[in-house]
Amino acid sequence: MATTSRIELEDALALGPSWRHLCYAMLYAPNPGVLFGGHVLLNHAVLMSMRFDGRLGFPGGFVDDRSPSLEEGLNKELLKKLGEGVSSFSIISTDYRSSLAESKSKVLGLVRVPLYTLQDGLGGLPAFLDNSFIGVAREQLLEALQDLGILAPETVSKLKERIVQLKQAIRLIGT
């Protein structure tokens, strides 16, 4: 199983011309509202993309080597894959979190991440995290939600523990 590590932007850019950069964006916005007759409060909307293989990830892709910066390349890639709607904003250097490399893929559409947990403790975000994600997109989602203050660190820790338990249960079933 491949492992990944987070590196700083300067280190990624220093890899040289033999490396291609694959950049993604987590699209999010404040979205105060309620669901289910006022029982579930919403604070933000987060979008992910559904890939051709049924896995969830973030919109983006390989950055054109001729782009003057990763941000400009990512903005072009988002415009190409998601259409004119993304021309209302622009990714800038302070938005950087991390980037990964992988083979090209097609996007089937955007999926809104449920940023709530139902009273049963399973519905909403916990159930969403049970989906199949590409690479470390699940972990990147949780990291970004915590870094941005959308989810409390305690909530993220509980969700990560649940993910570990589910993976262990799946391994036991497969043996």
Side-chain angles (χ1 to χ4, degrees):
M1 175 185 256
T3 60
T4 60
S5 60
R6 187 172 179 168
I7 62 173
E8 296 299 319
L9 178 58
E10 298 79 30
D11 296 330
L13 294 173
L15 292 172
S18 63
W19 287 79
R20 293 187 64 202
H21 294 279
L22 182 63
C23 299
Y24 294 102
M26 183 178 94
L27 305 176
Y28 74 100
N31 184 34
V34 294
L35 289 176
F36 308 115
H39 295 285
V40 176
L41 300 177
L42 297 177
N43 293 319
H44 292 84
V46 173
L47 296 178
M48 295 188 79
S49 57
M50 177 65 73
R51 294 166 26 108
F52 75 99
D53 58 4
R55 292 181 173 175
L56 293 167
F58 295 105
F62 282 106
V63 173
D64 186 339
D65 296 336
R66 296 168 295 197
S67 294
S69 70
L70 293 178
E71 295 82 14
E72 187 172 316
L74 177 56
N75 285 319
K76 287 179 185 176
E77 193 65 23
L78 292 173
L79 181 63
K80 182 171 68 173
K81 290 197 172 160
L82 302 179
E84 291 296 321
V86 299
S87 60
S88 62
F89 65 87
S90 183
I91 305 296
I92 57 176
S93 62
T94 56
D95 294 325
Y96 175 80
R97 294 270 185 251
S98 63
S99 59
L100 299 171
E102 68 178 17
S103 60
K104 291 185 179 183
S105 65
K106 296 178 183 177
V107 174
L108 296 180
L110 294 179
V111 177
R112 185 172 177 174
V113 178
L115 296 176
Y116 55 85
T117 301
L118 295 179
Q119 290 177 345
D120 65 3
L122 302 174
L125 185 56
F128 180 81
L129 294 172
D130 290 347
N131 283 298
S132 179
F133 288 76
I134 187 67
V136 294
R138 177 188 293 111
E139 291 78 5
Q140 287 179 312
L141 171 64
L142 289 173
E143 252 182 52
L145 292 173
Q146 181 176 323
D147 290 350
L148 295 166
I150 295 173
L151 289 182
E154 311 81 59
T155 302
V156 172
S157 290
K158 286 179 184 175
L159 290 167
K160 286 182 177 180
E161 286 174 24
R162 183 175 183 277
I163 291 167
V164 168
Q165 291 169 351
L166 286 172
K167 285 182 178 180
Q168 290 172 343
I170 290 169
R171 281 191 203 110
L172 289 174
I173 292 170
T175 57

